[in-house]
Amino acid sequence: ETGVTQSPTHLIKTRGQQVTLRCSSQSGHNTVSWYQQALGQGPQFIFQYYREEENGRGNFPPRFSGLQFPNYSSELNVNALELDDSALYLCASSLEGDKEKLFFGSGTQLSVL
Amino acid sequence: RKEVEQDPGPFNVPEGATVAFNCTYSNSASQSFFWYRQDCRKEPKLLMSVYSSGNEDGRFTAQLNRASQYISLLIRDSKLSDSATYLCVVRRGSTLGRLYFGRGTQLTVWP
């Protein structure tokens, strides 16, 4: 087990709704990144947080936002959901001093109808 | 042009076969290279890092050609349990840099 927990595992929403996905990392994992994986594609980088501040962002619109908390948990928020937002959302964390090794959560499968 | 290009396959091979996957990356600033394995709709798991000198881990051999910006993975003596999607991954710059994933190559090993 990676020690990274994501919730919920599955979620169904309708277009226009908002969703919050959660990730809980191990103690000391102060870097967390979020990825979107559409069916048949590789994961695409959404953004990364380091010590509670965003320090990198991929090609995603502002309706994708995030937070990282002092207790090593984080959130991905998506507003105004679109059908194309249907995907597996993965979070990955790494430990201070060993940033090469990423620990992935098992993901949240989001379906937008 | 995508950051990482991979042949999506699928590759269907019998047990015991040798199979090779290739990928190319577009940005010469890429500094770290990996192969990840992903089982159906589960999280990617690191299979191995790839070093310029080439490296081997049991039945798996990875090669990197920086001049050609080309990465390969060779699997010898395929097992049923090797059936998965193999993702080619690169990282640029600092260790806080994002990962760039290829779309993955699907492998099915049949008895």
Side-chain angles (χ1 to χ4, degrees):
Chain A
E1 295 299 324
T2 65
V4 180
T5 305
Q6 289 188 244
S7 62
T9 54
H10 296 83
L11 197 54
I12 299 175
K13 291 285 190 177
T14 56
R15 268 189 312 178
Q17 284 189 309
Q18 179 268 340
V19 69
T20 297
L21 310 182
R22 294 182 172 83
C23 175
S24 177
S25 303
Q26 296 182 52
S27 177
H29 284 214
N30 53 20
T31 301
V32 66
S33 49
W34 285 88
Y35 290 82
Q36 179 198 66
Q37 186 175 20
L39 197 62
Q41 301 297 318
Q44 298 297 307
F45 177 80
I46 303 174
F47 44 55
Q48 179 174 273
Y49 280 79
Y50 175 62
R51 293 187 174 179
E52 302 164 48
E53 292 194 5
E54 185 181 300
N55 76 336
R57 190 176 182 91
N59 189 26
F60 280 81
R63 59 189 185 84
F64 285 78
S65 63
L67 287 171
Q68 186 185 26
F69 303 102
N71 67 352
Y72 307 106
S73 66
S74 61
E75 291 181 353
L76 164 64
N77 298 288
V78 187
N79 294 322
L81 283 167
E82 301 177 359
L83 297 179
D84 285 349
D85 296 334
S86 295
L88 179 69
Y89 289 85
L90 296 157
C91 77
S93 67
S94 61
L95 183 65
E96 183 83 58
D98 190 12
K99 295 182 177 63
E100 283 288 329
K101 188 169 185 178
L102 288 187
F103 295 82
F104 277 90
S106 55
T108 294
Q109 181 65 54
L110 172 66
S111 298
V112 182
L113 306 179
Chain B
R1 185 180 174 188
K2 288 191 176 181
E3 189 84 15
V4 181
E5 297 271 10
Q6 272 185 271
D7 178 353
F11 285 67
N12 297 301
V13 302
E15 268 188 297
T18 295
V19 61
F21 304 137
N22 306 312
C23 87
T24 57
Y25 59 95
S26 61
N27 195 307
S28 58
S30 298
Q31 293 189 351
S32 303
F33 309 90
F34 313 92
W35 284 100
Y36 275 71
R37 171 197 168 121
Q38 186 174 30
D39 294 290
C40 188
R41 302 310 281 172
K42 294 189 176 180
E43 74 275 21
K45 294 182 179 178
L46 178 64
L47 180 66
M48 57 198 302
S49 300
V50 187
Y51 304 112
S52 296
S53 55
N55 49 299
E56 188 174 306
D57 182 2
R59 299 180 292 108
F60 298 84
T61 300
Q63 297 276 353
L64 168 64
N65 184 322
R66 285 186 182 270
S68 303
Q69 297 181 193
Y70 173 93
I71 306 165
S72 66
L73 176 69
L74 183 76
I75 305 176
R76 291 183 301 278
D77 188 23
S78 299
K79 311 292 185 190
L80 297 177
S81 58
D82 293 335
S83 298
T85 296
Y86 291 83
L87 298 159
C88 179
V89 185
V90 306
R91 170 184 269 155
R92 297 188 214 162
S94 75
T95 53
L96 285 181
R98 61 190 274 189
L99 293 179
Y100 293 84
F101 286 82
R103 65 178 296 183
T105 298
Q106 186 180 342
L107 172 66
T108 300
V109 181
W110 45 273

